[in-house]
Amino acid sequence: MFRSSSSSNNSPLVADFFHGKSIFITGTSGFVGGLILEDLLRCCPGIKSIYILLRHKKNDNPDSRKEEILKKKIFNKIKEENPEVLEKVHVVAGDIAQPNMGLNEEDMSRIIEEVSIVFSCAASISFFKPCRFLVSQNTLSLKYMIELCRQLKQLDVLVYTSTAFSNSNRAVTMKKMPEEVIRLPFPAQKFIDALKSENEKAFDQLVEECKPEWPNWYIFSKCMSENFIVENASDMPIAIVRPSIIYSAWKTPIPGYVEGDFGLTALFTGGSQGFIKIFLGDPEARLNMIPVDVVANTHLIAAWSVGTARVPAPLIVNCASNEYLNVQNQTVADCTIILTEKNPVPRSFQVVKSAFFIRNYILYSLLVFYEHYLPAYVLDLAAKFTGKKPRMVKLYHFIDKISNSLVYFTTHSLSFDRNNFLRLNSLLHPDDKKVLNIDTEELTFRDLVKSLPEGAVFYDWTKDKKTPQSRLKSMKQTYWTIQVIKGVFLMLCCFLFYSIFSLVW
């Protein structure tokens, strides 16, 4: 825990800054938001209260969703050492896509009176949703958040979670992604007005004029959100934290902790379970990884640095890693193979012997058919004959959808300016650095991967109906079954070619 003391320049420590204050957080049901909540409770126990915004879901009300969040194993240490601090977490029902966050009058009044620190982490991170939906969810919701913050009796800081790829459409012309907001050709409010109008073409025309094209509409919505902050909230104490590719926890609360079946995480999980052997991408292209606990720590430090006027606002931080975590695609695949050889993953499909990134789309398509779809069709056919539900082909269609949505990132190596990120670390008191560590200069990707069996959600053997020994036996059986399927296919192809050439000659 933090000592309640001050640094030599009389600026408060991070925990001192949060002491006695009330906080409002959106997105705590997500990966990053959940880690920020845990970080605050564990590192800043002097907090007065934390209000988390949760919306109603079909079968879950906000209170039950809070209980599900606190059941995550990242909160186990808090439950053991300081369980009473969990009583400071209060649910407010609402919806980020609604004015005033969808809050009722009582909750709205309480937040206006008490809250002085805000973390805006909620977002739709889908790479498949249309532009209009994502702008509504991610940019319009930020507008509502800023309007709410302007009503607070005392606002110390608003921390907004963006992405380090918000300017990645300009990767070809920029050597590094700068820690600044690249302006769109039109004000963000103009997009919002067009979105609300009955004329659908007006919005589409504005988007069409935004060049170069973005890799996906999620990134476009984040770029627009940053533009909205610069244009409408530059007078407010705001920090924009831009994580690169968020990976497992490095040190806290559990080394190796990672959750979520989305984006690259889903691909890596699929590879470690033996479902994916061929990846679409340049094997030499680099992926900039950042541990999730570093991302969460950066949010707290950014709040402290802006809230105590250590740095000017708006502060923009590229939360990106060093060269050792700027990893080649093939290195990621190789590390996955090495890890799963020693530590098979629960609910795995087959033994993993190799995995490759292929940049040529024609070669990739041929290999995907041979390694993925050929066995999938045969296994689905066998499932139908035995009365089981065929699922393999459908699974690979979904995997292809994810792969195609990520091809920009698996074929481009992006670099990021990190001056503000490194400056945050330099501002920290030595006592803060022991708890809120963001210095990854000596961390390697191989070191990060080693801890996955300890903390990753997909390494939870209680969710596997089989024991590790029986699962490994099943994986080997599936592997050799697939080898037979591919061998028979090759023999048939050879026989077919031989027959054709015999007729010709």
Side-chain angles (χ1 to χ4, degrees):
M1 299 298 179
F2 284 95
R3 290 191 297 110
S4 182
S5 61
S6 298
S7 57
S8 58
N9 61 2
N10 296 319
S11 181
L13 296 176
V14 174
D16 293 335
F17 168 69
F18 286 98
H19 187 84
K21 295 182 180 179
S22 293
I23 298 168
F24 181 51
I25 311 179
T26 67
T28 52
S29 61
F31 187 28
V32 173
L35 265 291
I36 291 174
L37 175 61
E38 190 278 338
D39 230 4
L40 289 166
L41 293 171
R42 177 172 45 83
C43 302
C44 308
I47 286 172
K48 179 182 177 182
S49 56
I50 300 177
Y51 295 99
I52 61 173
L53 182 79
L54 295 171
R55 61 185 174 88
H56 285 274
K57 284 196 169 182
K58 187 174 182 181
N59 299 317
D60 293 311
N61 60 45
D63 287 316
S64 65
R65 292 188 66 200
K66 170 194 167 183
E67 296 306 315
E68 288 300 314
I69 291 171
L70 296 180
K71 284 181 182 178
K72 293 180 179 181
K73 62 181 181 180
I74 57 174
F75 296 98
N76 288 348
K77 185 175 182 180
I78 293 174
K79 291 175 182 177
E80 293 173 2
E81 299 180 355
N82 192 17
E84 61 274 11
V85 76
L86 296 174
E87 298 176 4
K88 299 183 179 184
V89 180
H90 308 286
V91 173
V92 289
D95 188 335
I96 61 169
Q98 299 296 324
N100 292 326
M101 303 280 103
L103 298 168
N104 62 39
E105 290 185 9
E106 181 181 352
D107 289 336
M108 182 77 172
S109 177
R110 184 183 300 113
I111 287 173
I112 289 174
E113 290 291 331
E114 297 183 19
V115 168
S116 59
I117 300 172
V118 178
F119 291 95
S120 179
C121 305
S124 173
I125 59 173
S126 171
F127 288 180
F128 310 129
K129 296 288 185 180
C131 182
R132 299 176 68 88
F133 174 84
L134 289 169
V135 169
S136 176
Q137 289 290 308
N138 297 339
T139 306
L140 187 57
S141 63
L142 174 63
K143 170 182 166 67
Y144 295 144
M145 175 62 84
I146 289 174
E147 291 173 351
L148 173 63
C149 288
R150 288 198 180 278
Q151 298 180 64
L152 301 182
K153 291 295 182 67
Q154 174 62 44
L155 175 65
D156 289 327
V157 62
L158 163 62
V159 182
Y160 176 68
T161 309
S162 186
T163 172
F165 301 97
S166 59
N167 299 316
S168 57
N169 62 314
R170 300 175 183 272
V172 176
T173 58
M174 289 183 172
K175 292 184 178 180
K176 287 188 175 182
M177 300 292 102
E179 289 179 311
E180 62 185 65
V181 175
I182 304 298
R183 304 303 295 275
L184 294 171
F186 310 105
Q189 185 62 49
K190 190 170 183 177
F191 290 90
I192 293 174
D193 292 340
L195 184 68
K196 291 181 176 180
S197 71
E198 296 181 0
N199 184 1
E200 295 186 3
K201 289 185 178 181
F203 178 83
D204 295 337
Q205 288 173 351
L206 290 175
V207 173
E208 180 65 25
E209 295 189 40
C210 296
K211 303 291 184 181
E213 293 184 359
W214 271 258
N216 56 60
W217 295 124
Y218 164 73
I219 288 175
F220 175 70
S221 71
K222 284 298 185 180
C223 179
M224 189 184 300
S225 298
E226 292 182 0
N227 272 253
F228 187 88
I229 289 174
V230 171
E231 294 161 4
N232 299 278
S234 59
D235 61 318
M236 299 173 67
I238 291 182
I240 300 173
V241 177
R242 295 169 165 176
S244 57
I245 299 170
I246 301 173
Y247 205 61
S248 60
W250 175 23
K251 293 185 176 182
T252 58
I254 302 171
Y257 181 81
V258 65
E259 63 183 48
D261 293 325
F262 56 87
L264 286 166
T265 302
L267 287 186
F268 297 156
T269 303
S272 63
Q273 292 178 323
F275 289 102
I276 309 176
K277 300 181 71 174
I278 306 298
F279 297 88
L280 179 59
D282 184 345
E284 297 181 356
R286 294 183 177 272
L287 301 171
N288 191 289
M289 307 285 194
I290 193 75
V292 68
D293 52 330
V294 173
V295 176
N297 293 344
T298 301
H299 278 73
L300 270 65
I301 298 167
W304 162 78
S305 62
V306 172
T308 57
R310 302 284 312 261
V311 297
L315 170 69
I316 303 170
V317 181
N318 283 342
C319 187
S321 62
N322 60 24
E323 60 179 303
Y324 300 115
L325 288 176
N326 203 28
V327 195
Q328 287 187 344
N329 284 328
Q330 192 57 51
T331 300
V332 174
D334 294 341
C335 287
T336 299
I337 301 301
I338 294 171
L339 177 70
T340 53
E341 284 179 349
K342 298 179 179 179
N343 301 276
V345 180
R347 295 180 291 182
S348 287
F349 176 55
Q350 65 171 318
V351 174
V352 183
K353 299 243 182 225
S354 62
F356 300 100
F357 275 85
I358 306 296
R359 69 166 67 86
N360 183 283
Y361 191 79
I362 295 176
L363 179 59
Y364 165 79
S365 299
L366 292 172
L367 289 174
V368 161
F369 170 77
Y370 180 68
E371 294 286 357
H372 295 172
Y373 280 100
L374 172 63
Y377 277 112
V378 175
L379 292 174
D380 274 359
L381 184 62
K384 286 183 179 181
F385 278 118
T386 57
K388 297 179 181 179
K389 185 177 181 180
R391 61 186 183 90
M392 294 303 300
V393 174
K394 184 177 180 180
L395 172 64
Y396 281 114
H397 283 315
F398 177 70
I399 289 172
D400 284 348
K401 186 177 180 181
I402 295 176
S403 297
N404 290 329
S405 72
L406 297 171
V407 66
Y408 184 89
F409 306 101
T410 56
T411 55
H412 290 78
S413 298
L414 275 66
S415 298
F416 305 90
D417 281 333
R418 303 167 65 229
N419 293 333
N420 289 341
F421 180 63
L422 296 175
R423 184 184 179 193
L424 287 183
N425 185 59
S426 69
L427 291 174
L428 286 177
H429 188 279
D431 289 350
D432 283 334
K433 291 182 179 181
K434 295 176 183 177
V435 184
L436 295 171
N437 184 23
I438 61 172
D439 184 0
T440 64
E441 294 309 299
E442 300 301 322
L443 177 64
T444 69
F445 181 71
R446 294 181 187 276
D447 292 334
L448 200 59
V449 169
K450 288 178 183 178
S451 60
L452 286 176
E454 180 182 349
V457 171
F458 59 79
Y459 260 105
D460 184 359
W461 277 98
T462 63
K463 296 181 180 179
D464 196 327
K465 295 179 181 180
K466 298 182 178 181
T467 64
Q469 294 75 18
S470 60
R471 173 59 65 184
L472 183 58
K473 181 179 179 181
S474 173
M475 291 164 59
K476 289 180 178 179
Q477 289 174 344
T478 303
Y479 172 80
W480 286 112
T481 299
I482 290 176
Q483 299 312 304
V484 170
I485 292 171
K486 295 191 297 184
V488 170
F489 175 77
L490 287 178
M491 291 175 62
L492 291 174
C493 288
C494 291
F495 177 76
L496 178 62
F497 288 138
Y498 174 78
S499 301
I500 294 173
F501 280 111
S502 296
L503 291 173
V504 172
W505 294 100

